[in-house]
PDB file of all heavy atoms in Angstrom:
ATOM      1  N   THR A  47      -7.675  28.309 -28.269  1.00  0.00           N
ATOM      2  CA  THR A  47      -8.780  28.186 -27.314  1.00  0.00           C
ATOM      3  C   THR A  47     -10.105  28.056 -28.050  1.00  0.00           C
ATOM      4  O   THR A  47     -10.404  28.827 -28.964  1.00  0.00           O
ATOM      5  CB  THR A  47      -8.817  29.396 -26.366  1.00  0.00           C
ATOM      6  OG1 THR A  47      -7.593  29.432 -25.631  1.00  0.00           O
ATOM      7  CG2 THR A  47      -9.978  29.303 -25.387  1.00  0.00           C
ATOM      8  N   LYS A  48     -10.893  27.081 -27.621  1.00  0.00           N
ATOM      9  CA  LYS A  48     -12.226  26.877 -28.184  1.00  0.00           C
ATOM     10  C   LYS A  48     -13.221  27.614 -27.302  1.00  0.00           C
ATOM     11  O   LYS A  48     -13.199  27.483 -26.081  1.00  0.00           O
ATOM     12  CB  LYS A  48     -12.562  25.398 -28.245  1.00  0.00           C
ATOM     13  CG  LYS A  48     -11.665  24.653 -29.211  1.00  0.00           C
ATOM     14  CD  LYS A  48     -11.937  23.180 -29.199  1.00  0.00           C
ATOM     15  CE  LYS A  48     -10.939  22.522 -30.148  1.00  0.00           C
ATOM     16  NZ  LYS A  48     -10.692  21.157 -29.832  1.00  0.00           N
ATOM     17  N   LEU A  49     -14.092  28.375 -27.935  1.00  0.00           N
ATOM     18  CA  LEU A  49     -15.078  29.198 -27.223  1.00  0.00           C
ATOM     19  C   LEU A  49     -16.478  28.734 -27.561  1.00  0.00           C
ATOM     20  O   LEU A  49     -16.818  28.544 -28.733  1.00  0.00           O
ATOM     21  CB  LEU A  49     -14.912  30.670 -27.614  1.00  0.00           C
ATOM     22  CG  LEU A  49     -16.022  31.634 -27.194  1.00  0.00           C
ATOM     23  CD1 LEU A  49     -16.163  31.703 -25.677  1.00  0.00           C
ATOM     24  CD2 LEU A  49     -15.753  33.010 -27.781  1.00  0.00           C
ATOM     25  N   ILE A  50     -17.272  28.558 -26.530  1.00  0.00           N
ATOM     26  CA  ILE A  50     -18.701  28.283 -26.689  1.00  0.00           C
ATOM     27  C   ILE A  50     -19.438  29.387 -25.944  1.00  0.00           C
ATOM     28  O   ILE A  50     -19.177  29.626 -24.761  1.00  0.00           O
ATOM     29  CB  ILE A  50     -19.094  26.905 -26.114  1.00  0.00           C
ATOM     30  CG1 ILE A  50     -18.363  25.791 -26.867  1.00  0.00           C
ATOM     31  CG2 ILE A  50     -20.603  26.704 -26.166  1.00  0.00           C
ATOM     32  CD1 ILE A  50     -18.500  24.427 -26.220  1.00  0.00           C
ATOM     33  N   ARG A  51     -20.328  30.070 -26.639  1.00  0.00           N
ATOM     34  CA  ARG A  51     -21.147  31.120 -26.018  1.00  0.00           C
ATOM     35  C   ARG A  51     -22.585  30.632 -25.926  1.00  0.00           C
ATOM     36  O   ARG A  51     -23.102  30.039 -26.863  1.00  0.00           O
ATOM     37  CB  ARG A  51     -21.102  32.397 -26.842  1.00  0.00           C
ATOM     38  CG  ARG A  51     -19.766  33.073 -26.854  1.00  0.00           C
ATOM     39  CD  ARG A  51     -19.862  34.379 -27.655  1.00  0.00           C
ATOM     40  NE  ARG A  51     -18.561  34.897 -27.976  1.00  0.00           N
ATOM     41  CZ  ARG A  51     -17.895  35.784 -27.237  1.00  0.00           C
ATOM     42  NH1 ARG A  51     -18.434  36.246 -26.147  1.00  0.00           N
ATOM     43  NH2 ARG A  51     -16.706  36.211 -27.611  1.00  0.00           N
ATOM     44  N   LYS A  52     -23.208  30.917 -24.790  1.00  0.00           N
ATOM     45  CA  LYS A  52     -24.618  30.566 -24.589  1.00  0.00           C
ATOM     46  C   LYS A  52     -25.306  31.721 -23.894  1.00  0.00           C
ATOM     47  O   LYS A  52     -24.721  32.367 -23.029  1.00  0.00           O
ATOM     48  CB  LYS A  52     -24.757  29.299 -23.741  1.00  0.00           C
ATOM     49  CG  LYS A  52     -24.255  28.056 -24.421  1.00  0.00           C
ATOM     50  CD  LYS A  52     -24.527  26.831 -23.583  1.00  0.00           C
ATOM     51  CE  LYS A  52     -24.023  25.597 -24.320  1.00  0.00           C
ATOM     52  NZ  LYS A  52     -24.327  24.377 -23.584  1.00  0.00           N
ATOM     53  N   ASP A  53     -26.530  31.943 -24.271  1.00  0.00           N
ATOM     54  CA  ASP A  53     -27.355  32.946 -23.619  1.00  0.00           C
ATOM     55  C   ASP A  53     -28.403  32.183 -22.814  1.00  0.00           C
ATOM     56  O   ASP A  53     -29.284  31.539 -23.383  1.00  0.00           O
ATOM     57  CB  ASP A  53     -28.010  33.848 -24.666  1.00  0.00           C
ATOM     58  CG  ASP A  53     -28.524  35.127 -24.069  1.00  0.00           C
ATOM     59  OD1 ASP A  53     -27.751  35.807 -23.371  1.00  0.00           O
ATOM     60  OD2 ASP A  53     -29.710  35.442 -24.286  1.00  0.00           O
ATOM     61  N   LEU A  54     -28.266  32.197 -21.486  1.00  0.00           N
ATOM     62  CA  LEU A  54     -29.167  31.453 -20.616  1.00  0.00           C
ATOM     63  C   LEU A  54     -29.979  32.428 -19.776  1.00  0.00           C
ATOM     64  O   LEU A  54     -29.406  33.218 -19.015  1.00  0.00           O
ATOM     65  CB  LEU A  54     -28.367  30.503 -19.719  1.00  0.00           C
ATOM     66  CG  LEU A  54     -27.448  29.523 -20.467  1.00  0.00           C
ATOM     67  CD1 LEU A  54     -26.531  28.805 -19.494  1.00  0.00           C
ATOM     68  CD2 LEU A  54     -28.268  28.536 -21.263  1.00  0.00           C
ATOM     69  N   LEU A  55     -31.282  32.395 -19.964  1.00  0.00           N
ATOM     70  CA  LEU A  55     -32.191  33.307 -19.276  1.00  0.00           C
ATOM     71  C   LEU A  55     -31.797  34.771 -19.494  1.00  0.00           C
ATOM     72  O   LEU A  55     -31.878  35.596 -18.591  1.00  0.00           O
ATOM     73  CB  LEU A  55     -32.268  32.981 -17.779  1.00  0.00           C
ATOM     74  CG  LEU A  55     -32.758  31.582 -17.429  1.00  0.00           C
ATOM     75  CD1 LEU A  55     -32.615  31.331 -15.935  1.00  0.00           C
ATOM     76  CD2 LEU A  55     -34.209  31.394 -17.866  1.00  0.00           C
ATOM     77  N   GLY A  56     -31.312  35.071 -20.686  1.00  0.00           N
ATOM     78  CA  GLY A  56     -30.928  36.433 -21.018  1.00  0.00           C
ATOM     79  C   GLY A  56     -29.562  36.848 -20.496  1.00  0.00           C
ATOM     80  O   GLY A  56     -29.164  37.998 -20.626  1.00  0.00           O
ATOM     81  N   ILE A  57     -28.820  35.921 -19.911  1.00  0.00           N
ATOM     82  CA  ILE A  57     -27.496  36.221 -19.371  1.00  0.00           C
ATOM     83  C   ILE A  57     -26.453  35.542 -20.260  1.00  0.00           C
ATOM     84  O   ILE A  57     -26.520  34.329 -20.479  1.00  0.00           O
ATOM     85  CB  ILE A  57     -27.354  35.719 -17.914  1.00  0.00           C
ATOM     86  CG1 ILE A  57     -28.421  36.359 -17.029  1.00  0.00           C
ATOM     87  CG2 ILE A  57     -25.956  36.013 -17.379  1.00  0.00           C
ATOM     88  CD1 ILE A  57     -28.546  35.725 -15.659  1.00  0.00           C
ATOM     89  N   PRO A  58     -25.463  36.313 -20.753  1.00  0.00           N
ATOM     90  CA  PRO A  58     -24.445  35.710 -21.620  1.00  0.00           C
ATOM     91  C   PRO A  58     -23.392  34.938 -20.813  1.00  0.00           C
ATOM     92  O   PRO A  58     -22.833  35.449 -19.849  1.00  0.00           O
ATOM     93  CB  PRO A  58     -23.815  36.919 -22.323  1.00  0.00           C
ATOM     94  CG  PRO A  58     -24.049  38.069 -21.392  1.00  0.00           C
ATOM     95  CD  PRO A  58     -25.323  37.766 -20.657  1.00  0.00           C
ATOM     96  N   PHE A  59     -23.166  33.698 -21.214  1.00  0.00           N
ATOM     97  CA  PHE A  59     -22.134  32.852 -20.620  1.00  0.00           C
ATOM     98  C   PHE A  59     -21.122  32.489 -21.696  1.00  0.00           C
ATOM     99  O   PHE A  59     -21.483  32.298 -22.854  1.00  0.00           O
ATOM    100  CB  PHE A  59     -22.738  31.566 -20.040  1.00  0.00           C
ATOM    101  CG  PHE A  59     -23.512  31.772 -18.783  1.00  0.00           C
ATOM    102  CD1 PHE A  59     -24.855  32.126 -18.821  1.00  0.00           C
ATOM    103  CD2 PHE A  59     -22.915  31.610 -17.539  1.00  0.00           C
ATOM    104  CE1 PHE A  59     -25.579  32.320 -17.656  1.00  0.00           C
ATOM    105  CE2 PHE A  59     -23.625  31.795 -16.368  1.00  0.00           C
ATOM    106  CZ  PHE A  59     -24.965  32.157 -16.432  1.00  0.00           C
ATOM    107  N   SER A  60     -19.855  32.369 -21.294  1.00  0.00           N
ATOM    108  CA  SER A  60     -18.781  31.962 -22.199  1.00  0.00           C
ATOM    109  C   SER A  60     -18.019  30.813 -21.557  1.00  0.00           C
ATOM    110  O   SER A  60     -17.713  30.850 -20.362  1.00  0.00           O
ATOM    111  CB  SER A  60     -17.821  33.126 -22.457  1.00  0.00           C
ATOM    112  OG  SER A  60     -18.517  34.235 -22.978  1.00  0.00           O
ATOM    113  N   PHE A  61     -17.705  29.811 -22.370  1.00  0.00           N
ATOM    114  CA  PHE A  61     -16.991  28.632 -21.905  1.00  0.00           C
ATOM    115  C   PHE A  61     -15.746  28.471 -22.779  1.00  0.00           C
ATOM    116  O   PHE A  61     -15.855  28.328 -23.992  1.00  0.00           O
ATOM    117  CB  PHE A  61     -17.877  27.393 -22.007  1.00  0.00           C
ATOM    118  CG  PHE A  61     -19.197  27.556 -21.307  1.00  0.00           C
ATOM    119  CD1 PHE A  61     -20.301  28.065 -21.974  1.00  0.00           C
ATOM    120  CD2 PHE A  61     -19.333  27.216 -19.969  1.00  0.00           C
ATOM    121  CE1 PHE A  61     -21.527  28.218 -21.332  1.00  0.00           C
ATOM    122  CE2 PHE A  61     -20.550  27.374 -19.317  1.00  0.00           C
ATOM    123  CZ  PHE A  61     -21.645  27.875 -20.002  1.00  0.00           C
ATOM    124  N   TYR A  62     -14.580  28.534 -22.170  1.00  0.00           N
ATOM    125  CA  TYR A  62     -13.315  28.466 -22.892  1.00  0.00           C
ATOM    126  C   TYR A  62     -12.602  27.162 -22.551  1.00  0.00           C
ATOM    127  O   TYR A  62     -12.430  26.839 -21.376  1.00  0.00           O
ATOM    128  CB  TYR A  62     -12.407  29.637 -22.498  1.00  0.00           C
ATOM    129  CG  TYR A  62     -12.997  30.987 -22.810  1.00  0.00           C
ATOM    130  CD1 TYR A  62     -13.801  31.651 -21.883  1.00  0.00           C
ATOM    131  CD2 TYR A  62     -12.740  31.612 -24.026  1.00  0.00           C
ATOM    132  CE1 TYR A  62     -14.337  32.896 -22.163  1.00  0.00           C
ATOM    133  CE2 TYR A  62     -13.276  32.865 -24.311  1.00  0.00           C
ATOM    134  CZ  TYR A  62     -14.071  33.500 -23.375  1.00  0.00           C
ATOM    135  OH  TYR A  62     -14.601  34.730 -23.656  1.00  0.00           O
ATOM    136  N   HIS A  63     -12.183  26.438 -23.589  1.00  0.00           N
ATOM    137  CA  HIS A  63     -11.445  25.180 -23.421  1.00  0.00           C
ATOM    138  C   HIS A  63     -10.129  25.296 -24.184  1.00  0.00           C
ATOM    139  O   HIS A  63     -10.120  25.673 -25.352  1.00  0.00           O
ATOM    140  CB  HIS A  63     -12.236  24.001 -23.988  1.00  0.00           C
ATOM    141  CG  HIS A  63     -13.546  23.773 -23.323  1.00  0.00           C
ATOM    142  ND1 HIS A  63     -13.695  22.924 -22.260  1.00  0.00           N
ATOM    143  CD2 HIS A  63     -14.770  24.293 -23.569  1.00  0.00           C
ATOM    144  CE1 HIS A  63     -14.964  22.930 -21.882  1.00  0.00           C
ATOM    145  NE2 HIS A  63     -15.628  23.743 -22.653  1.00  0.00           N
ATOM    146  N   LEU A  64      -9.042  24.936 -23.522  1.00  0.00           N
ATOM    147  CA  LEU A  64      -7.743  24.950 -24.163  1.00  0.00           C
ATOM    148  C   LEU A  64      -6.974  23.715 -23.736  1.00  0.00           C
ATOM    149  O   LEU A  64      -6.877  23.409 -22.545  1.00  0.00           O
ATOM    150  CB  LEU A  64      -6.955  26.211 -23.771  1.00  0.00           C
ATOM    151  CG  LEU A  64      -5.506  26.312 -24.258  1.00  0.00           C
ATOM    152  CD1 LEU A  64      -5.436  26.340 -25.779  1.00  0.00           C
ATOM    153  CD2 LEU A  64      -4.840  27.550 -23.664  1.00  0.00           C
ATOM    154  N   GLN A  65      -6.462  22.998 -24.714  1.00  0.00           N
ATOM    155  CA  GLN A  65      -5.610  21.838 -24.462  1.00  0.00           C
ATOM    156  C   GLN A  65      -4.280  22.167 -25.126  1.00  0.00           C
ATOM    157  O   GLN A  65      -4.213  22.332 -26.348  1.00  0.00           O
ATOM    158  CB  GLN A  65      -6.223  20.598 -25.100  1.00  0.00           C
ATOM    159  CG  GLN A  65      -5.524  19.321 -24.764  1.00  0.00           C
ATOM    160  CD  GLN A  65      -6.251  18.580 -23.670  1.00  0.00           C
ATOM    161  OE1 GLN A  65      -7.459  18.680 -23.551  1.00  0.00           O
ATOM    162  NE2 GLN A  65      -5.531  17.838 -22.872  1.00  0.00           N
ATOM    163  N   LYS A  66      -3.236  22.314 -24.313  1.00  0.00           N
ATOM    164  CA  LYS A  66      -1.957  22.738 -24.864  1.00  0.00           C
ATOM    165  C   LYS A  66      -0.817  22.080 -24.104  1.00  0.00           C
ATOM    166  O   LYS A  66      -0.750  22.187 -22.881  1.00  0.00           O
ATOM    167  CB  LYS A  66      -1.848  24.265 -24.767  1.00  0.00           C
ATOM    168  CG  LYS A  66      -0.701  24.857 -25.531  1.00  0.00           C
ATOM    169  CD  LYS A  66      -0.815  26.371 -25.551  1.00  0.00           C
ATOM    170  CE  LYS A  66       0.275  26.974 -26.385  1.00  0.00           C
ATOM    171  NZ  LYS A  66       0.164  28.420 -26.467  1.00  0.00           N
ATOM    172  N   GLU A  67       0.040  21.395 -24.841  1.00  0.00           N
ATOM    173  CA  GLU A  67       1.236  20.778 -24.282  1.00  0.00           C
ATOM    174  C   GLU A  67       0.942  19.918 -23.058  1.00  0.00           C
ATOM    175  O   GLU A  67       1.625  19.987 -22.044  1.00  0.00           O
ATOM    176  CB  GLU A  67       2.282  21.840 -23.960  1.00  0.00           C
ATOM    177  CG  GLU A  67       2.739  22.616 -25.183  1.00  0.00           C
ATOM    178  CD  GLU A  67       3.755  23.690 -24.860  1.00  0.00           C
ATOM    179  OE1 GLU A  67       4.353  23.660 -23.769  1.00  0.00           O
ATOM    180  OE2 GLU A  67       3.945  24.563 -25.715  1.00  0.00           O
ATOM    181  N   GLY A  68      -0.110  19.127 -23.142  1.00  0.00           N
ATOM    182  CA  GLY A  68      -0.436  18.206 -22.066  1.00  0.00           C
ATOM    183  C   GLY A  68      -1.165  18.813 -20.878  1.00  0.00           C
ATOM    184  O   GLY A  68      -1.412  18.145 -19.893  1.00  0.00           O
ATOM    185  N   VAL A  69      -1.491  20.088 -20.967  1.00  0.00           N
ATOM    186  CA  VAL A  69      -2.219  20.756 -19.882  1.00  0.00           C
ATOM    187  C   VAL A  69      -3.596  21.160 -20.409  1.00  0.00           C
ATOM    188  O   VAL A  69      -3.723  21.668 -21.520  1.00  0.00           O
ATOM    189  CB  VAL A  69      -1.460  22.000 -19.375  1.00  0.00           C
ATOM    190  CG1 VAL A  69      -2.226  22.679 -18.244  1.00  0.00           C
ATOM    191  CG2 VAL A  69      -0.067  21.621 -18.905  1.00  0.00           C
ATOM    192  N   THR A  70      -4.627  20.918 -19.615  1.00  0.00           N
ATOM    193  CA  THR A  70      -5.994  21.280 -19.967  1.00  0.00           C
ATOM    194  C   THR A  70      -6.410  22.488 -19.141  1.00  0.00           C
ATOM    195  O   THR A  70      -6.247  22.498 -17.921  1.00  0.00           O
ATOM    196  CB  THR A  70      -6.957  20.109 -19.685  1.00  0.00           C
ATOM    197  OG1 THR A  70      -6.533  18.978 -20.448  1.00  0.00           O
ATOM    198  CG2 THR A  70      -8.384  20.460 -20.044  1.00  0.00           C
ATOM    199  N   TYR A  71      -6.939  23.500 -19.828  1.00  0.00           N
ATOM    200  CA  TYR A  71      -7.391  24.729 -19.184  1.00  0.00           C
ATOM    201  C   TYR A  71      -8.877  24.894 -19.465  1.00  0.00           C
ATOM    202  O   TYR A  71      -9.345  24.609 -20.567  1.00  0.00           O
ATOM    203  CB  TYR A  71      -6.670  25.946 -19.769  1.00  0.00           C
ATOM    204  CG  TYR A  71      -5.171  25.885 -19.708  1.00  0.00           C
ATOM    205  CD1 TYR A  71      -4.435  25.301 -20.739  1.00  0.00           C
ATOM    206  CD2 TYR A  71      -4.477  26.435 -18.640  1.00  0.00           C
ATOM    207  CE1 TYR A  71      -3.051  25.264 -20.696  1.00  0.00           C
ATOM    208  CE2 TYR A  71      -3.096  26.403 -18.590  1.00  0.00           C
ATOM    209  CZ  TYR A  71      -2.383  25.809 -19.625  1.00  0.00           C
ATOM    210  OH  TYR A  71      -1.013  25.776 -19.580  1.00  0.00           O
ATOM    211  N   TYR A  72      -9.619  25.377 -18.482  1.00  0.00           N
ATOM    212  CA  TYR A  72     -11.056  25.617 -18.651  1.00  0.00           C
ATOM    213  C   TYR A  72     -11.431  26.881 -17.884  1.00  0.00           C
ATOM    214  O   TYR A  72     -11.060  27.043 -16.721  1.00  0.00           O
ATOM    215  CB  TYR A  72     -11.864  24.432 -18.109  1.00  0.00           C
ATOM    216  CG  TYR A  72     -13.348  24.656 -18.153  1.00  0.00           C
ATOM    217  CD1 TYR A  72     -14.048  24.568 -19.351  1.00  0.00           C
ATOM    218  CD2 TYR A  72     -14.057  24.973 -17.005  1.00  0.00           C
ATOM    219  CE1 TYR A  72     -15.415  24.787 -19.407  1.00  0.00           C
ATOM    220  CE2 TYR A  72     -15.422  25.189 -17.036  1.00  0.00           C
ATOM    221  CZ  TYR A  72     -16.095  25.094 -18.242  1.00  0.00           C
ATOM    222  OH  TYR A  72     -17.452  25.314 -18.286  1.00  0.00           O
ATOM    223  N   VAL A  73     -12.136  27.775 -18.573  1.00  0.00           N
ATOM    224  CA  VAL A  73     -12.634  28.998 -17.936  1.00  0.00           C
ATOM    225  C   VAL A  73     -14.113  29.118 -18.273  1.00  0.00           C
ATOM    226  O   VAL A  73     -14.512  28.962 -19.427  1.00  0.00           O
ATOM    227  CB  VAL A  73     -11.889  30.259 -18.442  1.00  0.00           C
ATOM    228  CG1 VAL A  73     -12.484  31.521 -17.823  1.00  0.00           C
ATOM    229  CG2 VAL A  73     -10.410  30.167 -18.151  1.00  0.00           C
ATOM    230  N   GLU A  74     -14.891  29.433 -17.266  1.00  0.00           N
ATOM    231  CA  GLU A  74     -16.319  29.664 -17.432  1.00  0.00           C
ATOM    232  C   GLU A  74     -16.618  31.067 -16.919  1.00  0.00           C
ATOM    233  O   GLU A  74     -16.205  31.425 -15.813  1.00  0.00           O
ATOM    234  CB  GLU A  74     -17.091  28.625 -16.625  1.00  0.00           C
ATOM    235  CG  GLU A  74     -18.586  28.670 -16.782  1.00  0.00           C
ATOM    236  CD  GLU A  74     -19.236  27.532 -16.016  1.00  0.00           C
ATOM    237  OE1 GLU A  74     -18.845  26.363 -16.215  1.00  0.00           O
ATOM    238  OE2 GLU A  74     -20.122  27.838 -15.197  1.00  0.00           O
ATOM    239  N   MET A  75     -17.323  31.865 -17.750  1.00  0.00           N
ATOM    240  CA  MET A  75     -17.605  33.245 -17.371  1.00  0.00           C
ATOM    241  C   MET A  75     -19.073  33.583 -17.564  1.00  0.00           C
ATOM    242  O   MET A  75     -19.715  33.076 -18.484  1.00  0.00           O
ATOM    243  CB  MET A  75     -16.752  34.201 -18.208  1.00  0.00           C
ATOM    244  CG  MET A  75     -15.262  34.018 -17.994  1.00  0.00           C
ATOM    245  SD  MET A  75     -14.264  35.166 -18.936  1.00  0.00           S
ATOM    246  CE  MET A  75     -14.512  36.661 -17.978  1.00  0.00           C
ATOM    247  N   LYS A  76     -19.581  34.452 -16.695  1.00  0.00           N
ATOM    248  CA  LYS A  76     -20.898  35.047 -16.843  1.00  0.00           C
ATOM    249  C   LYS A  76     -20.642  36.517 -17.127  1.00  0.00           C
ATOM    250  O   LYS A  76     -20.101  37.222 -16.267  1.00  0.00           O
ATOM    251  CB  LYS A  76     -21.729  34.884 -15.571  1.00  0.00           C
ATOM    252  CG  LYS A  76     -23.119  35.516 -15.673  1.00  0.00           C
ATOM    253  CD  LYS A  76     -23.931  35.268 -14.421  1.00  0.00           C
ATOM    254  CE  LYS A  76     -23.541  36.298 -13.385  1.00  0.00           C
ATOM    255  NZ  LYS A  76     -24.394  36.262 -12.189  1.00  0.00           N
ATOM    256  N   SER A  77     -20.966  36.959 -18.340  1.00  0.00           N
ATOM    257  CA  SER A  77     -20.577  38.289 -18.815  1.00  0.00           C
ATOM    258  C   SER A  77     -19.060  38.399 -18.676  1.00  0.00           C
ATOM    259  O   SER A  77     -18.347  37.630 -19.278  1.00  0.00           O
ATOM    260  CB  SER A  77     -21.318  39.387 -18.064  1.00  0.00           C
ATOM    261  OG  SER A  77     -22.710  39.273 -18.285  1.00  0.00           O
ATOM    262  N   SER A  78     -18.556  39.302 -17.839  1.00  0.00           N
ATOM    263  CA  SER A  78     -17.108  39.427 -17.664  1.00  0.00           C
ATOM    264  C   SER A  78     -16.626  38.864 -16.323  1.00  0.00           C
ATOM    265  O   SER A  78     -15.463  38.997 -15.975  1.00  0.00           O
ATOM    266  CB  SER A  78     -16.699  40.895 -17.787  1.00  0.00           C
ATOM    267  OG  SER A  78     -17.323  41.640 -16.773  1.00  0.00           O
ATOM    268  N   GLN A  79     -17.506  38.213 -15.591  1.00  0.00           N
ATOM    269  CA  GLN A  79     -17.156  37.639 -14.281  1.00  0.00           C
ATOM    270  C   GLN A  79     -16.670  36.198 -14.442  1.00  0.00           C
ATOM    271  O   GLN A  79     -17.332  35.368 -15.066  1.00  0.00           O
ATOM    272  CB  GLN A  79     -18.363  37.649 -13.351  1.00  0.00           C
ATOM    273  CG  GLN A  79     -18.086  37.028 -12.002  1.00  0.00           C
ATOM    274  CD  GLN A  79     -19.341  36.855 -11.161  1.00  0.00           C
ATOM    275  OE1 GLN A  79     -20.454  37.085 -11.614  1.00  0.00           O
ATOM    276  NE2 GLN A  79     -19.156  36.430  -9.930  1.00  0.00           N
ATOM    277  N   ILE A  80     -15.524  35.903 -13.871  1.00  0.00           N
ATOM    278  CA  ILE A  80     -14.989  34.544 -13.896  1.00  0.00           C
ATOM    279  C   ILE A  80     -15.762  33.712 -12.874  1.00  0.00           C
ATOM    280  O   ILE A  80     -15.763  34.019 -11.684  1.00  0.00           O
ATOM    281  CB  ILE A  80     -13.488  34.525 -13.549  1.00  0.00           C
ATOM    282  CG1 ILE A  80     -12.706  35.381 -14.534  1.00  0.00           C
ATOM    283  CG2 ILE A  80     -12.960  33.086 -13.528  1.00  0.00           C
ATOM    284  CD1 ILE A  80     -11.295  35.685 -14.081  1.00  0.00           C
TER     285      ILE A  80
END
Side-chain angles (χ1 to χ4, degrees):
T47 299
K48 294 176 183 155
L49 168 62
I50 298 170
R51 292 183 194 267
K52 293 185 179 183
D53 197 52
L54 304 170
L55 300 173
I57 302 168
F59 287 86
S60 303
F61 306 90
Y62 299 89
H63 298 268
L64 174 63
Q65 187 100 30
K66 191 171 184 178
E67 299 179 17
V69 180
T70 301
Y71 304 89
Y72 176 76
V73 177
E74 185 176 307
M75 298 182 75
K76 179 177 83 172
S77 298
S78 62
Q79 178 189 7
I80 301 166

